[in-house]
Amino acid sequence: MKNILAIIPARGGSKGLPDKNILPLAGHPLIAYSIKAALDSPSISRVIVSTDSEAIADIARSYGAEIPFMRPAELAQDQSLDYDVFLHALSWLKENENYSPELVAQLRPTSPIRYVADIETCIERMAAYPEADSIRIITRAANTPYKMWRASTEEQAMTPLLTLDGHPESYNEPRQNLPTIYWQVGTLDVIRPEVILEKNSMSGTNVFPYRIEPEQAIDIDDIFSFQRAEAYISTHDCIKF
């Protein structure tokens, strides 16, 4: 596959950590790490940032990304979905440039820890497994959902979040007796465009996994996660400046 588009979604608003996408991480704006990851990956042929912010757009351009359009404000709200953002991007590129990629890679700015080898392997697997709608990076969950509960009020009995065949009280089982559970991280999704355009989904039904170690799965949402990311970058040979 020679026509692979990386889209980096980066809206201007952030309530938890204002201007999060352009705050400095080890001397460079947070979004710059996702741009560099896409540019450093040999299989990725085009790198676009979808944003509603002129400040983010200017920084993205300075680090080598394209800004062929500004994202409409209605697609940059707190409740905006990735699907709507990516549908807009792919539709705009088709209508205005007659451009259609073979694969789409999503690199979220808030997951800056990446390795080129991981990105390349995920792309290669999409070519090797035509039945895959997408590949999503996952890592081992810190806590098992089999020991989690739903609780509405303190005056009513709780109900377990999940049940496990053969284990009527999974919440009382030793952790080693329970299945290993993974949670998805924002490091990378690789998606077939037709899944977005025709199946109205960001993942499809056949979602293949690619596992990374938990210490690599850092999602930036507060100052402490910035510090964790900086510590990791300083001690590992990941993508960095």
Side-chain angles (χ1 to χ4, degrees):
M1 294 184 176
K2 297 181 180 180
N3 185 9
I4 299 173
L5 170 67
I7 298 179
I8 301 168
R11 70 186 184 97
S14 176
K15 290 183 178 178
L17 201 58
D19 297 323
K20 174 171 59 178
N21 287 320
I22 55 177
L23 289 179
L25 174 66
H28 294 270
L30 178 59
I31 193 173
Y33 289 86
S34 295
I35 295 171
K36 182 171 175 57
L39 293 173
D40 285 358
S41 298
S43 294
I44 292 178
S45 52
R46 191 173 182 184
V47 183
I48 285 175
V49 169
S50 171
T51 185
D52 61 316
S53 164
E54 291 290 352
I56 291 176
D58 289 342
I59 289 172
R61 290 188 191 98
S62 72
Y63 279 90
E66 293 181 53
I67 313 290
F69 53 79
M70 295 300 293
R71 191 196 305 183
E74 62 269 20
L75 299 182
Q77 305 302 311
D78 290 343
Q79 303 302 319
S80 295
L81 301 176
D82 286 342
Y83 165 74
D84 293 321
V85 172
F86 276 65
L87 178 63
H88 168 263
L90 292 175
S91 299
W92 192 97
L93 292 169
K94 178 62 176 177
E95 293 168 7
N96 291 272
E97 299 182 7
N98 196 30
Y99 171 81
S100 298
E102 295 178 74
L103 289 176
V104 179
Q106 174 171 210
L107 293 88
R108 295 178 179 85
T110 48
S111 297
I113 308 301
R114 298 184 178 90
Y115 293 85
V116 168
D118 292 337
I119 298 172
E120 291 295 297
T121 300
C122 287
I123 291 171
E124 290 166 4
R125 287 185 181 179
M126 287 295 286
Y129 300 104
E131 69 272 26
D133 289 326
S134 63
I135 283 181
R136 183 160 287 188
I137 287 188
I138 58 172
T139 194
R140 292 189 307 277
N143 300 295
T144 175
Y146 289 102
K147 291 181 178 288
M148 295 181 182
W149 298 82
R150 296 181 187 273
S152 53
T153 70
E154 293 186 357
E155 290 75 35
Q156 292 179 306
M158 301 187 298
T159 56
L161 178 65
L162 294 177
T163 57
L164 183 63
D165 290 345
H167 299 271
E169 295 185 351
S170 60
Y171 41 84
N172 289 330
E173 290 279 351
R175 183 183 176 95
Q176 59 267 27
N177 291 351
L178 299 172
T180 301
I181 301 297
Y182 298 88
W183 66 278
Q184 62 187 29
V185 293
T187 308
L188 176 71
D189 299 335
V190 184
I191 313 149
R192 299 194 194 279
E194 56 267 27
V195 170
I196 300 170
L197 296 170
E198 299 172 14
K199 296 185 179 181
N200 304 321
S201 171
M202 277 297 293
S203 59
T205 53
N206 292 331
V207 185
F208 279 42
Y210 183 86
R211 297 175 180 87
I212 62 173
E213 292 302 315
E215 59 266 23
Q216 183 186 339
I218 300 174
D219 182 49
I220 302 292
D221 57 11
D222 55 30
I223 192 63
F224 302 107
S225 50
F226 261 96
Q227 293 169 352
R228 286 178 55 218
E230 286 188 336
Y232 188 99
I233 288 169
S234 68
T235 55
H236 292 77
D237 190 25
C238 55
I239 297 170
K240 57 186 175 182
F241 294 90

